[in-house]
Amino acid sequence: MSVEVTRGQGAIVLGLPHTGLEVPSDVMAGLNARGQALADTDWHIDKLYMGLRADVTVVRQTVHRYVIDVNRGADDASLYPGQATTGLCPTTNFDGEPIHLAGHAPDQAEVAARIAAHHTPYHQALSTELARVRAIHGIAILYDCHSIRSRIPHLFDGTLPDFNIGTNLSTSCAPLVEKTVEEICRAATGFSTVVNGRFRGGWTTRHHGQPAEGIHAIQMELAQSTYMEEAPPWRWDDARAARLRVTLVQILDALQSLADRKVLT
């Protein structure tokens, strides 16, 4: 099973779609050296959020995004039409470079098998946990945890802001959820923030965010420069991470407070 679930009794479900490093041996054998480096991992994101709140639920995909990207729809429709991006079973990395040996990109049958083995179970687990915590609190808040290098010319110009908040153009959660997270981020000294910029929320946010039904989804894409070194071997930086975690715990505490105060129901 490629999905790990840690249950909590709070209203927040953390989604971790891109921290997994598992690659089946047959898939790894078909990757070139660039692909085998697994450079586009959301490095250390599970460690970054660990222990910020004891009552959160965590749903984590353990296979690497080069096997299947569970933050894409099963139909592989582009999340950002007209912009460079990667697909459901990626054939290139974030720099637009091929990641497979010649003739080893997955065919339709292999893609279907990966959807059944990894994509469907991950989203079923998210749906199950969101329904469970909504039954407890009347609402559920899906906080989708991501990170990416701050400079990737193939995907975006210049340097990415530190906090990239995505709510699919303010449709995946109540306005108060978006406003609460944005205000905390903008108040954090030394950090930059954007809402619905280059990353406005992936398929997970767009699919599960149903605020009219009491399920609010928000994506946080962090620039990796805020907590680590953005080059191999992708080292964690204690000082930067500790500073960032202060703001992240404020965000999670504030979101749980919204649930406790029943202001979203």
Side-chain angles (χ1 to χ4, degrees):
M1 185 69 169
S2 64
V3 183
E4 295 177 347
V5 177
T6 304
R7 284 187 163 176
Q9 296 303 306
I12 300 169
V13 176
L14 301 182
L16 298 176
H18 296 150
T19 63
L21 292 170
E22 296 176 7
V23 180
S25 57
D26 59 327
V27 177
M28 184 64 84
L31 296 174
N32 59 25
R34 189 181 300 115
Q36 290 183 0
L38 306 181
D40 297 328
T41 304
D42 287 14
W43 298 103
H44 311 299
I45 279 289
D46 43 354
K47 179 179 179 179
L48 186 67
Y49 282 91
M50 185 182 300
L52 296 183
R53 281 193 65 95
D55 61 353
V56 298
T57 293
V58 180
V59 179
R60 177 176 179 266
Q61 174 58 248
T62 64
V63 300
H64 195 265
R65 68 185 304 156
Y66 287 173
V67 179
I68 188 165
D69 187 340
V70 295
N71 200 33
R72 303 291 184 269
D75 61 359
D76 203 16
S78 176
L79 295 173
Y80 301 98
Q83 294 178 283
T85 187
T86 52
L88 177 66
C89 292
T91 57
T92 62
N93 63 13
F94 287 166
D95 297 309
E97 302 165 328
I99 59 173
H100 294 93
L101 299 170
H104 284 78
D107 59 17
Q108 287 186 334
E110 175 62 17
V111 170
R114 295 183 192 183
I115 291 171
H118 309 298
H119 188 281
T120 299
Y122 179 76
H123 288 285
Q124 285 178 338
L126 278 176
S127 293
T128 296
E129 296 310 313
L130 289 166
R132 181 182 63 84
V133 302
R134 182 179 55 181
I136 297 171
H137 296 277
I139 66 157
I141 300 173
L142 172 58
Y143 183 98
D144 210 33
C145 308
H146 297 260
S147 74
I148 193 169
R149 285 176 283 145
S150 61
R151 297 185 66 87
I152 307 179
H154 181 67
L155 295 184
F156 50 82
D157 295 331
T159 302
L160 196 69
D162 298 318
F163 294 111
N164 298 267
I165 301 165
T167 61
N168 194 29
L169 304 180
S170 305
T171 63
S172 66
C173 63
L176 186 55
V177 173
E178 180 185 290
K179 179 175 183 286
T180 296
V181 176
E182 179 182 5
E183 287 182 347
I184 292 171
C185 291
R186 293 199 185 278
T189 303
F191 292 100
S192 55
T193 300
V194 67
V195 179
N196 292 312
R198 176 61 179 87
F199 300 103
R200 66 172 191 260
W203 191 81
T204 301
T205 302
R206 304 180 196 193
H207 174 71
H208 292 283
Q210 304 291 332
E213 299 177 13
I215 297 179
H216 306 268
I218 189 165
Q219 176 176 300
M220 179 62 78
E221 185 88 55
L222 297 168
Q224 290 178 342
S225 57
T226 58
Y227 69 93
M228 59 171 281
E229 297 178 11
E230 294 187 322
W234 315 106
R235 290 190 181 94
W236 168 270
D237 185 301
D238 282 329
R240 279 186 274 177
R243 180 168 167 260
L244 177 60
R245 278 167 59 89
V246 171
T247 300
L248 296 179
V249 76
Q250 290 174 350
I251 291 170
L252 298 185
D253 286 351
L255 291 177
Q256 182 60 49
S257 177
L258 294 180
D260 293 341
R261 291 185 285 123
K262 308 296 184 185
V263 294
L264 299 176
T265 55

